[in-house]
Amino acid sequence: MTPIQHNLQQIRERISAAAARCGRDPAEITLLAVSKTKPASAVEEAAAAGQLAFGENYVQEGVDKIQALNNSALAWHFIGPLQSNKSRLVAENFAWCHTVDRLKIAARLNEQRPADLPPLNVLIQINISDEQSKSGIMLSALPDLAREIAQLPRLTLRGLMAIPAPEADYQRQLAVCRRMTAAFSELKKNYASVDTLSLGMSDDMDAAIEAGTTMVRIGTAIFGARDYGATN
């Protein structure tokens, strides 16, 4: 067993254990392997171990891997901040975009999504910890943005994403995650397509699972430490 395969097994076991503690079915929770700064060969290694969903933070790096691997079985998620001048690359190459936080970006993705591809799955990013340095909207702005996105034919509104501020205390992690799951539950009532809450990383994954996340984003714990000098 390779290190990546071993790490994937350990993460899956951790997800299963966290789900069992709160009476959830681990099959309800998708593991998104965050492969930013890692080579296509690492993605291939993870895919050989049954991991099919991958997240990328840098547009061009992600596109390079998508094109190099050319594997239709893999689902590629863009999870980084998206600038307007990079929206076409996301619209043309990715299956998901987790970081929609304004109508301008949603409209560009809608216009640029090729007609021969299924609609782009999008998540609205919520700035749940109200951090000035973070992308995302306030929860109060969610109803209006969701309504606008739902009207765009080349996008499918699938749910919400958040990156909570680091918090060491488990109960505080849980409280923040529950605010997200409450918003997610409310959104599901209004949109039949909504089924995904992208919430939880290595340090707060257990709290996110207890709160009700449907997708956790794990990178270093699968692929090892990142080399930020390798890409931009």
Side-chain angles (χ1 to χ4, degrees):
M1 184 180 290
T2 69
I4 287 175
Q5 291 168 339
H6 173 74
N7 293 343
L8 275 168
Q9 180 177 303
Q10 293 219 305
I11 290 294
R12 289 169 182 153
E13 288 173 356
R14 185 178 160 195
I15 290 171
S16 293
R21 285 195 295 273
C22 56
R24 294 188 64 194
D25 180 353
E28 298 173 354
I29 303 156
T30 297
L31 171 58
L32 183 64
V34 179
S35 45
K36 68 178 180 181
T37 82
K38 296 300 177 180
S41 58
V43 174
E44 282 187 304
E45 195 175 316
Q51 178 63 34
L52 300 179
F54 294 91
E56 289 286 334
N57 289 62
Y58 307 115
V59 177
Q60 190 60 58
E61 180 197 345
V63 170
D64 290 345
K65 286 179 208 170
I66 293 167
Q67 294 178 348
L69 294 170
N70 192 27
N71 185 343
S72 61
L74 305 184
W76 291 93
H77 298 236
F78 184 72
I79 61 173
L82 181 55
Q83 299 170 334
S84 296
N85 64 345
K86 298 288 183 71
S87 61
R88 183 177 295 279
L89 287 171
V90 171
E92 292 179 345
N93 291 278
F94 286 82
W96 290 72
C97 182
H98 288 222
T99 51
V100 175
D101 62 359
R102 56 199 188 278
L103 180 59
K104 177 185 175 182
I105 284 289
R108 287 179 67 89
L109 291 169
N110 177 69
E111 292 164 7
Q112 295 165 343
R113 183 67 169 175
D116 62 333
L117 292 179
L120 181 68
N121 298 299
V122 300
L123 303 178
I124 296 173
Q125 183 173 357
I126 304 296
N127 188 344
I128 194 63
S129 300
D130 194 15
E131 296 177 275
Q132 291 189 345
S133 61
K134 289 279 179 70
S135 302
I137 62 169
M138 299 297 106
L139 280 174
S140 59
L142 176 57
D144 288 344
L145 184 56
R147 184 171 59 253
E148 292 164 335
I149 290 174
Q151 295 171 3
L152 299 173
R154 302 299 300 145
L155 306 183
T156 299
L157 178 60
R158 295 292 295 270
L160 303 177
M161 181 273 239
I163 308 171
E167 173 55 70
D169 181 79
Y170 183 84
Q171 291 302 320
R172 291 191 184 128
Q173 289 179 355
L174 189 59
V176 172
C177 290
R178 282 180 169 156
R179 288 180 61 209
M180 280 300 303
T181 52
F184 174 59
S185 297
E186 195 62 30
L187 195 66
K188 282 205 295 187
K189 293 177 186 176
N190 296 315
Y191 301 97
S193 61
V194 169
D195 60 4
T196 301
L197 175 59
S198 173
L199 177 71
M201 297 184 286
S202 293
D203 292 340
D204 63 355
M205 182 177 80
D206 294 56
I209 289 172
E210 181 175 344
T213 189
T214 71
M215 182 179 288
V216 294
R217 308 181 303 271
I218 308 295
T220 303
I222 296 172
F223 294 107
R226 297 190 180 104
D227 177 8
Y228 282 100
T231 189
N232 198 328

